[in-house]
């Protein structure tokens, strides 16, 4: 078997097979690392049998083999780790193959994030709420968004242009900001999140934003998913209060004996 550098488009079919084989989707946090990774194709007698991807020369973000060739998976992963001096692996617990291979190597486990899906409980923001309080952000909102969120959201002007930001106002006061990031890898899926004005936290604003974003996604024919840092209990509680549930974790696993 041989491997060589390739672009993501060359393994697009395999990438789709990988995604379809997951027990649950991943959010745009992991997706950004995948898209920024260097991809490598795995060939056997000129047949395309798998691929992998490495971020920043050290972090393995993808490893996939077609089922008929998975008996070679342990040997091939060992080869990838050694040849690329991989020191860490990002693996979703929804990715049974890579998770099992990482466990085979006794990698040290660090819990990185929760991945959420909608429970489809049909929750609403409650009686008397204004359904129009959450709306797509416009350029005139930029100053308020930057004042409330600081640099947390990155380039807010670009995000507004791309339609990723939503605003939640009470009269002229910005209570919070909703975020919708459409997946570039998983068709019909978007990651949703929120940032609440510090002055209005613990008042149900975040829950209201998530409920509004879910409703917007479904109206657009998009499946909403979400994620948060494993140790951000406040975000986890907010997402769960809005009907999001988690059964999947993102793990950051350290390869023993490798220097970063």
């Amino acid at each position: 078997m041989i491997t060589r550098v390739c672009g993501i488009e060359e393994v697009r079919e395999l990438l789709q097979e990988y995604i379809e084989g997951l027990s649950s989707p991943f959010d745009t946090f992991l997706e950004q690392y995948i898209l920024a990774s260097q991809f490598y194709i795995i060939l056997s007698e000129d047949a395309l049998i798998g691929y992998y991807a490495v971020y920043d020369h050290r972090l393995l973000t993808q490893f996939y083999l077609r089922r008929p060739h998975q008996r070679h998976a342990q040997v091939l992963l060992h080869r990838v780790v050694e040849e690329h001096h991989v020191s860490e692996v990002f693996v979703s617990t929804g990715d049974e193959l890579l998770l099992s291979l990482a466990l085979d190597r006794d990698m040290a486990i660090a819990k990185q994030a929760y991945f959420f899906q909608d429970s489809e409980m049909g929750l609403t923001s409650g009686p008397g709420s204004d359904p129009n309080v959450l709306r797509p952000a416009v350029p005139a909102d930029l100053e308020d968004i930057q004042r409330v969120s600081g640099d947390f959201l990155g380039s807010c002007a670009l995000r507004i242009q791309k339609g990723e930001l939503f605003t939640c106002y009470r009269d002229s006061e910005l209570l919070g900001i909703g975020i919708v990031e459409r997946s570039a890898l998983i068709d019909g899926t978007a990651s949703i999140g929120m940032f609440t004005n510090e002055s209005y936290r613990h008042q149900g604003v975040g829950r209201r934003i998530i409920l509004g974003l879910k409703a917007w996604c479904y109206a657009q024919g998009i499946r909403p998913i979400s994620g948060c840092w494993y140790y951000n209990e406040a975000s986890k509680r907010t997402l769960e209060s809005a009907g999001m549930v988690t059964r999947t974790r993102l793990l950051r696993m350290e390869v023993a004996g490798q220097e970063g």
Side-chain angles (χ1 to χ4, degrees):
M1 295 182 188
I2 63 171
T3 63
R4 63 169 172 79
V5 171
C6 70
I8 190 172
E9 289 305 321
E10 194 170 353
V11 294
R12 181 68 69 173
E13 181 181 343
L14 286 174
L15 180 58
Q16 189 59 40
E17 287 180 16
Y18 161 77
I19 289 170
E20 291 174 356
L22 297 175
S23 63
S24 54
F26 50 84
D27 72 358
T28 51
F29 171 82
L30 177 56
E31 181 174 294
Q32 288 167 3
Y33 279 89
I34 294 171
L35 290 172
S37 296
Q38 175 61 66
F39 279 74
Y40 298 83
I41 203 166
I42 305 173
L43 298 162
S44 177
E45 298 179 352
D46 295 327
L48 177 60
I49 66 167
Y51 75 97
Y52 61 95
V54 181
Y55 174 82
D56 195 27
H57 306 288
R58 61 180 180 81
L59 175 64
L60 185 71
T61 59
Q62 293 271 273
F63 182 86
Y64 175 72
L65 283 175
R66 284 179 160 154
R67 186 180 294 271
H69 305 277
Q70 288 177 3
R71 63 192 179 94
H72 304 295
Q74 287 178 319
V75 171
L76 280 170
L77 180 67
H78 177 78
R79 175 178 160 186
V80 167
V81 167
E82 295 301 315
E83 288 185 359
H84 296 277
H85 305 287
V86 169
S87 59
E88 293 181 301
V89 178
F90 259 162
V91 55
S92 163
T93 57
D95 180 352
E96 184 178 354
L97 176 61
L98 184 52
L99 177 61
S100 298
L101 294 170
L103 292 172
D104 289 341
R105 289 184 59 100
D106 296 320
M107 295 184 188
I109 300 173
K111 291 169 281 193
Q112 177 77 30
Y114 290 102
F115 290 154
F116 289 84
Q117 300 180 66
D118 188 15
S119 66
E120 302 181 2
M121 292 175 61
L123 298 175
T124 65
S125 55
S129 61
D130 180 1
N132 298 315
V133 71
L134 187 73
R135 60 166 174 77
V138 297
D141 299 322
L142 180 59
E143 184 176 346
D144 284 345
I145 292 172
Q146 291 176 326
R147 174 178 53 80
V148 167
S149 65
D151 59 2
F152 181 80
L153 298 174
S155 177
C156 295
L158 179 60
R159 282 182 173 272
I160 291 172
Q161 182 181 346
K162 293 168 65 177
E164 292 183 348
L165 298 186
F166 290 70
T167 55
C168 180
Y169 277 95
R170 179 184 297 153
D171 298 324
S172 61
E173 188 68 20
L174 180 61
L175 306 183
I177 304 144
I179 306 104
V180 175
E181 296 177 335
R182 297 193 189 220
S183 173
L185 297 177
I186 308 176
D187 291 341
T189 299
S191 295
I192 62 173
M194 76 290 166
F195 186 95
T196 304
N197 187 328
E198 189 173 353
S199 300
Y200 295 95
R201 291 176 183 172
H202 311 294
Q203 299 180 32
V205 173
R207 177 180 186 272
R208 191 171 183 177
I209 290 173
I210 294 299
L211 288 170
L213 294 179
K214 288 202 304 181
W216 183 88
C217 284
Y218 285 127
Q220 304 298 315
I222 301 169
R223 176 177 56 160
I225 60 174
S226 194
C228 73
W229 184 47
Y230 189 85
Y231 300 98
N232 190 338
E233 285 296 320
S235 289
K236 180 175 181 286
R237 287 194 299 269
T238 297
L239 289 166
E240 290 175 334
S241 73
M244 303 297 285
V245 292
T246 176
R247 67 180 186 186
T248 310
R249 310 290 181 264
L250 176 62
L251 305 177
R252 192 168 194 143
M253 304 183 75
E254 183 178 348
V255 180
Q258 295 282 14
E259 296 183 0

